[in-house]
C-alpha cells in the first residue's frame, strides 16, 4: 500500500496520476510525488520504523511504491559517523558524516534507484535506463540485474574506464555517446518519448527516483535519536538530493515523528568536475569553506525561503547560476 496520491507540478500545482512522467504538460515544471500526510501520521510511528528492515524500506510509508515486492539491494541504513578530528580542524563541536559509500554500488544513488525501479516494475515498465557519468550507471545496472530487467546505460564517451568497468559487471548494454553529459541527457529524453516501456531513472521516472534521496534525511534524524541537525552540507550535481533532504526533514515533522518544525539549513557543495558542461557554475566551494560558512552568520544573506542555500563560499555567483536546475 502507498500513501502517495498524485504527481504534483512544483510550479503550477496541477495534479497528475502516479505514472511514468516527470514534467507538467502545461507549464513544463517538474513533477513531485505528493502524499496524504494525515493518513501517514495515523499509520507511522517510531516503533513501526524500528521494527522494519535495516534499509530505506523501513520508511516505506513515506515512499511512493505499492506492495512490498521492492527492487531491493539493501540500500540505506548506512553509518552516521562522528568526525571528531575533522570537526576540531573546522571548529565544529558536533560534526557527523553520513557514510553513503557503504551502499552496494558505492553511492547514495542506490537509495534513489531502488525506489525508481520498484515503481517502474509496479508500472509494468520493462527496461531500466539512465544517462550517467558513473555512479548512477552502476546503480541502475545493478538494480536492473536484481529485478531481472534489461538495462541500457548511456555515458559520455570520455568517462574514466574504471567507472565503466563496474557498470559492465552488472549490465551488458553500456552505450558511449560522443558528446558531453548534457548531450547524453538530451538523447535519453528523445528515447523516452519513443520507448514507452523504458524507465529512465533520471527522465520519466525521475519523480520517484528523487523521492529515494529523502531517506537519507530520515536516517540521520533517526540515528540522532529523532533530532534534526542545525546544518547539513550536501554534494550537488543537479541538486535533486539537496532539495529532497530538506523535504525529508520537513515530512518527519508533518507526520509527527519530530515535535517541532525543523530549522535545518541545507547547503549545497558543488564539486569540481560535476558540472562538465557549464562554465558559469561555481567550482570554488570546498567542504572547508562550506563548513566555515555554516559556522559564520555571514551566510544569512544567501538564505532562501525554503531553507536551503546554494553556492556558499562564492559570493559572486549565488544568484541563479547554480539554482537554475534546483
Ligand atoms: C549523483 C551524485 C551527486 C549529484 O547528485 P544530485 O542529486 O544530482 O545533486 C553528488 N555526489 C555524488 C557522489 C553523486 O553520485
Amino acid at each position: 500500500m502507498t500513501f502517495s496520491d498524485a504527481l504534483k507540478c512544483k510550479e503550477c500545482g496541477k495534479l497528475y496520476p502516479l505514472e511514468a512522467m516527470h514534467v507538467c504538460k502545461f507549464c513544463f515544471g517538474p513533477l513531485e510525488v505528493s502524499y496524504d500526510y494525515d493518513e501517514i501520521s495515523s499509520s507511522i510511528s517510531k516503533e513501526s520504523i524500528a521494527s522494519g528492515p535495516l534499509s530505506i524500506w523501513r520508511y516505506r510509508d513515506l515512499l511512493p511504491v505499492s506492495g512490498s515486492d521492492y527492487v531491493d539491494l539493501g540500500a540505506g541504513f548506512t553509518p552516521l559517523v562522528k568526525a571528531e578530528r575533522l570537526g576540531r580542524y573546522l571548529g565544529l563541536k558536533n560534526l557527523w558524516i553520513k557514510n553513503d559509500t557503504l551502499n552496494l554500488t558505492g553511492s547514495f544513488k542506490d537509495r534513489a534507484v531502488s525506489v525508481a525501479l520498484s515503481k517502474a516494475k509496479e508500472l509494468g515498465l520493462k527496461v531500466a535506463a539512465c544517462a550517467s557519468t558513473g555512479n548512477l550507471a552502476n546503480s541502475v545496472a545493478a538494480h536492473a540485474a536484481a529485478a531481472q530487467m534489461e538495462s541500457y546505460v548511456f555515458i559520455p564517451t570520455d568517462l574514466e574506464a574504471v567507472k565503466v568497468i563496474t557498470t559492465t559487471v552488472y549490465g551488458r548494454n553500456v552505450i558511449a555517446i560522443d558528446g558531453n553529459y548534457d548531450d547524453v541527457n538530451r538523447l535519453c529524453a528523445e528515447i523516452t518519448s519513443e520507448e514507452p516501456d523504458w524507465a529512465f531513472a533520471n527522465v520519466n521516472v525521475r519523480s520517484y527516483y528523487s523521492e529515494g534521496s529523502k531517506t537519507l534525511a530520515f536516517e540521520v534524524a533517526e540515528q540522532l535519536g529523532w533530532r534534526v541537525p542545525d546544518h547539513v552540507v550536501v554534494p550537488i550535481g543537479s541538486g535533486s538530493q539537496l532539495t529532497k533532504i530538506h523535504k525529508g526533514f520537513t515530512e518527519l515533522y508533518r507526520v509527527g515523528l519530530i515535535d517541532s518544525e525543523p530549522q535545518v539549513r541545507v547547503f549545497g557543495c558543488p564539486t569540481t568536475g560535476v558540472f562538465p558542461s557549464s562554465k558559469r557554475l561555481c567550482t570554488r566551494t570546498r567542504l572547508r569553506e562550506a563548513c566555515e560558512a555554516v559556522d559564520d552568520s555571514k551566510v544569512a544573506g544567501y538564505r532562501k525561503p525554503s531553507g536551503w542555500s546554494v553556492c556558499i563560499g562564492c559570493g559572486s555567483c549565488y544568484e541563479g547560476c547554480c539554482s537554475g536546475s534546483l
Side-chain angles (χ1 to χ4, degrees):
M1 113 140 243
T2 175
F3 296 103
S4 53
D5 49 19
L7 289 174
K8 185 175 180 185
C9 175
K10 279 178 92 166
E11 300 294 332
C12 74
K14 192 167 165 41
L15 296 174
Y16 295 89
L18 292 158
E19 288 170 4
M21 61 184 292
H22 72 300
V23 177
C24 178
K25 287 178 183 160
F26 288 84
C27 75
F28 302 111
L31 302 183
E32 184 170 52
V33 177
S34 75
Y35 298 84
D36 184 337
Y37 290 118
D38 294 335
E39 284 289 320
I40 298 175
S41 305
S42 50
S43 158
I44 206 167
S45 66
K46 291 171 191 169
E47 294 71 32
S48 71
I49 291 170
S51 66
L54 295 177
S55 75
I56 61 166
W57 296 104
R58 68 204 273 106
Y59 310 107
R60 53 177 290 176
D61 288 351
L62 288 156
L63 293 173
V65 181
S66 308
S68 53
D69 188 16
Y70 312 124
V71 181
D72 183 12
L73 291 171
F77 223 72
T78 55
L80 184 67
V81 183
K82 181 133 199 211
E84 298 276 1
R85 274 169 294 162
L86 181 60
R88 238 190 337 268
Y89 172 71
L90 295 167
L92 299 169
K93 283 202 197 77
N94 283 305
L95 177 66
W96 298 78
I97 294 178
K98 186 71 168 147
N99 188 0
D100 250 19
T101 63
L102 292 183
N103 284 308
L104 183 81
T105 71
S107 80
F108 81 92
K109 296 291 193 300
D110 287 351
R111 299 174 181 276
V113 170
S114 180
V115 175
L117 292 200
S118 296
K119 189 69 187 180
K121 240 175 75 176
E122 184 191 313
L123 292 170
L125 304 180
K126 301 282 184 274
V127 174
C130 69
S132 176
T133 52
N135 285 339
L136 185 58
N138 285 335
S139 189
V140 165
H143 283 84
Q148 296 184 290
M149 290 168 92
E150 192 75 71
S151 68
Y152 284 84
V153 161
F154 297 83
I155 56 171
T157 193
D158 58 357
L159 200 59
E160 304 95 289
V162 63
K163 285 188 170 160
V164 186
I165 288 165
T166 22
T167 304
T168 55
V169 169
Y170 299 116
R172 56 185 165 170
N173 307 307
V174 178
I175 297 151
I177 305 298
D178 189 11
N180 60 27
Y181 181 58
D182 280 351
D183 299 326
V184 180
N185 259 312
R186 258 192 294 279
L187 175 71
C188 289
E190 269 179 51
I191 299 172
T192 311
S193 59
E194 285 166 22
E195 300 286 352
D197 280 352
W198 287 33
F200 269 94
N202 46 359
V203 188
N204 58 338
V205 293
R206 186 180 180 86
S207 306
Y208 309 106
Y209 162 86
S210 57
E211 285 294 286
S213 302
K214 293 187 310 193
T215 58
L216 191 143
F218 301 156
E219 280 171 26
V220 167
E222 186 181 356
Q223 287 167 320
L224 291 174
W226 294 107
R227 286 161 58 216
V228 171
D230 297 330
H231 304 278
V232 179
V233 179
V234 184
I236 55 170
S238 70
S240 165
Q241 184 184 211
L242 173 110
T243 54
K244 294 298 169 164
I245 284 176
H246 188 260
K247 182 181 180 190
F249 288 126
T250 311
E251 285 184 339
L252 293 181
Y253 173 63
R254 185 68 189 78
V255 302
L257 289 170
I258 53 174
D259 296 332
S260 52
E261 193 162 0
Q263 300 300 314
V264 59
R265 292 167 65 189
V266 184
F267 296 88
C269 244
T271 321
T272 312
V274 293
F275 302 114
S277 63
S278 174
K279 294 188 188 63
R280 291 178 308 134
L281 289 163
C282 165
T283 51
R284 284 177 25 210
T285 307
R286 298 285 184 278
L287 179 64
R288 173 99 204 245
E289 294 172 63
C291 292
E292 278 171 358
V294 168
D295 209 21
D296 181 341
S297 56
K298 274 192 308 202
V299 296
Y302 297 125
R303 198 166 176 181
K304 298 210 167 193
S306 57
W308 44 264
S309 310
V310 290
C311 237
I312 51 174
C314 172
S316 61
C317 64
Y318 85 98
E319 260 179 337
C321 85
C322 291
S323 62
S325 60
L326 298 180

